[in-house]
Amino acid sequence: MAADRVRVRIAPSPTGDPHVGTAYVALFNYAFAKHHGGDFVLRIEDTDRARSSRASEEAILRSLRWLGLRWDEGPDVGGPCGPYRQSERAAIYREHAELLLERGHAYRCFCSAERLERLRERQRAAKTPPGYDGQCRELSADEVAVQLAAGAAHTVRLKMPRTGEAVFDDQLRGTIRMPFAHSDDQVLLKSDGLPTYHLANVVDDHLMAISHVVRAEEWIPSVPKHLRLYEAFGWQPPRMVHLPLLRNNDKNKSKISKRRNPVSLDYYREAGILPQAMLNFLALMGWSFGGDQEKFTLEQMIERFDLAPGSVGLGGPVFDLEKLSWLNGLYLRDLSDEQLVDQLIAWRLNRDYFLRLAPLVRERIRRFDEFVPLTEFFFSGDLELGAVGQQLVPKKRSARDTAAVVDALTDELDGVRDWLPEALEPVLRACCERLQWTSREVFMIVRIAVSGRAASPPLFDTMVAVGRDLCRRRLRQAALWLRAQPHTEPAVAAAPGPKG
RNA sequence: GGCCCCAUAGUCUAGUGGUUAGGACGUCGGCCUCUCACGCCGAUAACCCGGGUUCAAGUCCCGGUGGGGUCACCA
């Protein structure tokens, strides 16, 4: 592999839904690589055993393919630097940790999780900066040998310098310097033998000959640790490029999050956003094509995109659904009638989908002309919660409490991957139990949020047919709606009295 | 709180010392039209504040302020 070849990577962690932020970073990596005739590598960072899942990994791959971003190397297509799934590279990381240990750049830490928790508590109470106190940093060889002989669980920590500063040039931001002392002795190898992000990332980027690390700015604070690692290994660090973070459409423009904004790519696909429109829109986040042109293809973007200093705006761009929809409309209008109809059929207007609705409506319709009104909400996006919205709040409950319950339900539902009636029901019933709200209350809330009506086909079947992503979107919207209501006490809410 | 990043209209952005500060979404108005939408035309609205440097600062420097990120055996 030529030393100056541009090689970039996207390294998603398969711990949830395919995230729009992943697509954003992937797009910029991809466009950069292709502009320079380089390689785009997909690496799965699944070293968190508890949270990673194969289902999530598959969903991420599916979404990236949907967008049309093709990787040259990855877990599914292989490549010269494999394996591309970190869980399959455990031995590599262990060897490298061993190397650091030998060279005295790392040490074994026998502190228990409990001790670390107590330490953090103390630091919080004393208002001193949090971080590992280095208790095991100076253990003698004998002490370590004793612990090891006893088979004590341990981690491997990086020995950070106590003085000096990390200095690096971010390709977009210029020189950034941070005191080493601010970084504590990061765990590199967990007690389960798998690496943390920091070790795996540095080792893989080096072994995979990554030339430019292009990732989100939330990673800037961990650069000193990474630089220290490159130095300890005696490796040349790659060029660093930190992209701005996508933001919510709220007052403070916080980092984009599922509570405030749909973040799953599945949601956008289900909503009928075309992949080209999504890519085009993401490209507009921090970057501009030139001239006054806003609509362009991926190929056109590649031609011009280079990540030169100043070429990407660094203010965190707000992800604006309204503008995305406008742009998508432009793409839809490029379709012929035939193509548009084909797309609609592929979406929901097809036999398979109607077949799922049939059992839900057969007892409820008397004439064909009642079908569309009855099933309208299966084909809609956000619902207008007008008068029915009032019924979201159960008797003797407040809108505010109801909103909190909706949030709790939605957080819980985020974790449900198998979106089936038999999976949904126990989860929601468990929520009732935990929240101490009756199933009657909770089910009605969910029914109204999901269908926009107080009367619907059976709730769980309805939720399944509406779909995982749209259900969760509507629940989030319902919570927002509830919070927008004037604050009233439960007793007052029930009475029609004059407005205060 | 420490450290770091950032800062042009409500939102996405152009702008690289001299511009009536340009475009887009949104909003409002008009045209088109049986209605709506599309399309077209127009309007609304911005350089966070204070110091410097300079003949000249949105643009360069410093300091505030504001926002964000981060401080895990998660990534």
Side-chain angles (χ1 to χ4, degrees):
Chain A
M1 214 165 293
D4 58 349
R5 184 173 179 80
V6 169
R7 284 176 58 82
V8 298
R9 81 322 193 253
I10 177 84
S13 180
T15 54
D17 295 320
H19 200 278
V20 72
T22 303
Y24 175 58
V25 176
L27 170 62
F28 280 35
N29 269 281
Y30 180 86
F32 178 68
K34 294 306 148 189
H35 177 81
H36 292 285
D39 304 317
F40 174 57
V41 177
L42 173 64
R43 182 171 76 219
I44 296 295
E45 307 231 339
D46 57 349
T47 55
D48 183 342
R49 271 191 171 136
R51 297 199 307 152
S52 297
S53 75
R54 201 44 83 90
S56 171
E57 177 187 316
E58 280 161 12
I60 290 167
L61 265 58
R62 194 186 336 113
S63 287
L64 292 174
R65 279 193 214 104
W66 170 68
L67 285 169
L69 300 174
R70 293 306 175 79
W71 44 98
D72 302 291
E73 300 165 31
D76 55 335
V77 296
C81 305
Y84 293 89
R85 203 176 275 121
Q86 291 184 331
S87 59
E88 295 167 13
R89 301 169 64 82
I92 298 173
Y93 309 121
R94 257 196 302 272
E95 282 166 27
H96 282 85
E98 205 58 48
L99 192 64
L100 293 177
L101 248 14
E102 282 166 24
R103 294 184 186 171
H105 293 131
Y107 59 92
R108 296 179 204 275
C109 172
F110 298 90
C111 293
S112 65
E114 294 70 39
R115 175 177 184 271
L116 296 175
E117 183 47 43
R118 280 200 306 277
L119 176 65
R120 267 192 291 273
E121 246 166 65
R122 240 178 297 133
Q123 288 165 335
R124 217 176 308 129
K127 294 199 166 128
T128 52
Y132 181 60
D133 60 0
Q135 171 163 290
C136 295
R137 181 158 161 151
E138 308 302 341
L139 288 181
S140 68
D142 288 347
E143 288 170 302
V144 170
V146 168
Q147 292 274 17
L148 284 179
H154 66 276
T155 61
V156 174
R157 285 184 186 271
L158 175 63
K159 200 178 275 185
M160 283 298 288
R162 294 275 163 82
T163 58
E165 59 178 11
V167 183
F168 72 101
D169 283 303
D170 184 286
Q171 197 163 303
L172 291 171
R173 296 162 198 263
T175 304
I176 296 177
R177 23 182 95 234
M178 283 176 276
F180 277 124
H182 174 68
S183 303
D184 68 353
D185 291 349
Q186 178 65 47
V187 170
L188 299 176
L189 215 54
K190 299 181 274 189
S191 53
D192 66 2
L194 287 177
T196 57
Y197 169 85
H198 305 280
L199 208 220
N201 174 264
V202 165
V203 168
D204 285 349
D205 284 344
H206 176 75
L207 262 26
M208 294 180 182
I210 298 302
S211 62
H212 296 71
V213 169
V214 183
R215 82 256 266 194
E217 72 179 309
E218 57 188 334
W219 291 108
I220 292 176
S222 55
V223 170
K225 294 168 183 175
H226 301 168
L227 290 180
R228 180 64 200 124
L229 279 169
Y230 281 107
E231 196 186 344
F233 284 121
W235 296 336
Q236 180 71 31
R239 298 280 305 166
M240 305 274 188
V241 187
H242 291 92
L243 265 18
L245 238 21
L246 261 26
R247 307 296 182 89
N248 287 319
N249 172 31
D250 57 7
K251 180 170 168 292
N252 287 340
K253 303 186 181 180
S254 48
K255 171 165 98 167
I256 198 166
S257 63
K258 62 187 175 190
R259 282 221 177 177
R260 300 288 315 192
N261 197 89
V263 293
S264 171
L265 292 166
D266 289 335
Y267 167 80
Y268 294 96
R269 199 193 57 233
E270 286 293 318
I273 297 294
L274 301 174
Q276 315 91 282
M278 177 57 95
L279 285 182
N280 192 157
F281 179 70
L282 288 173
L284 259 14
M285 304 275 87
W287 188 72
S288 61
F289 186 78
D292 286 332
Q293 190 174 339
E294 295 209 280
K295 182 164 175 272
F296 47 86
T297 64
L298 179 56
E299 286 65 36
Q300 288 175 303
M301 179 184 180
I302 288 167
E303 221 168 284
R304 300 198 181 193
F305 188 83
D306 67 354
L307 282 177
S311 66
V312 175
L314 300 174
V318 171
F319 191 94
D320 181 12
L321 272 170
E322 198 57 47
K323 186 155 181 176
L324 169 60
S325 298
W326 162 79
L327 188 59
N328 197 59
L330 255 36
Y331 279 88
L332 283 183
R333 262 160 243 129
D334 287 341
L335 265 32
S336 67
D337 289 349
E338 286 269 333
Q339 291 170 321
L340 178 58
V341 170
D342 287 344
Q343 294 270 345
L344 286 167
I345 289 172
W347 176 64
R348 273 187 182 190
L349 299 178
N350 57 59
R351 184 181 165 85
D352 283 349
Y353 193 69
F354 287 134
L355 234 23
R356 293 165 66 182
L357 298 187
L360 304 184
V361 300
R362 52 183 310 127
E363 294 100 337
R364 292 173 175 78
I365 55 169
R366 299 167 303 167
R367 309 166 16 148
F368 292 159
D369 62 7
E370 291 171 339
F371 177 79
V372 166
L374 195 61
T375 59
E376 180 270 338
F377 66 88
F378 289 104
F379 303 94
S380 303
D382 291 349
L383 302 173
E384 205 55 58
L385 292 176
V388 260
Q390 300 303 330
Q391 297 179 61
L392 270 172
V393 184
K395 298 261 186 289
K396 299 184 184 164
R397 303 285 193 184
S398 68
R400 181 200 292 242
D401 288 348
T402 306
V405 164
V406 173
D407 276 341
L409 295 173
T410 318
D411 288 345
E412 202 61 43
L413 289 171
D414 282 339
V416 179
R417 286 212 141 266
D418 297 317
W419 201 254
L420 299 167
E422 49 286 17
L424 260 17
E425 179 159 1
V427 167
L428 287 184
R429 288 199 187 277
C431 285
C432 296
E433 187 71 23
R434 186 159 51 79
L435 298 164
Q436 288 292 294
W437 281 42
T438 67
S439 54
R440 181 191 178 81
E441 291 173 321
V442 168
F443 290 7
M444 183 53 78
I445 291 167
V446 176
R447 181 186 317 283
I448 292 173
V450 164
S451 72
R453 353 179 139 192
S456 78
L459 182 59
F460 306 111
D461 296 310
T462 297
M463 289 174 74
V464 171
V466 166
R468 180 168 182 264
D469 296 281
L470 190 50
C471 277
R472 292 183 299 157
R473 162 69 176 179
R474 287 180 180 170
L475 282 161
R476 298 288 184 202
Q477 290 293 102
L480 282 179
W481 187 91
L482 284 163
R483 291 206 163 86
Q485 298 309 300
H487 180 65
T488 48
E489 291 305 314
V492 180
K499 300 231 155 63

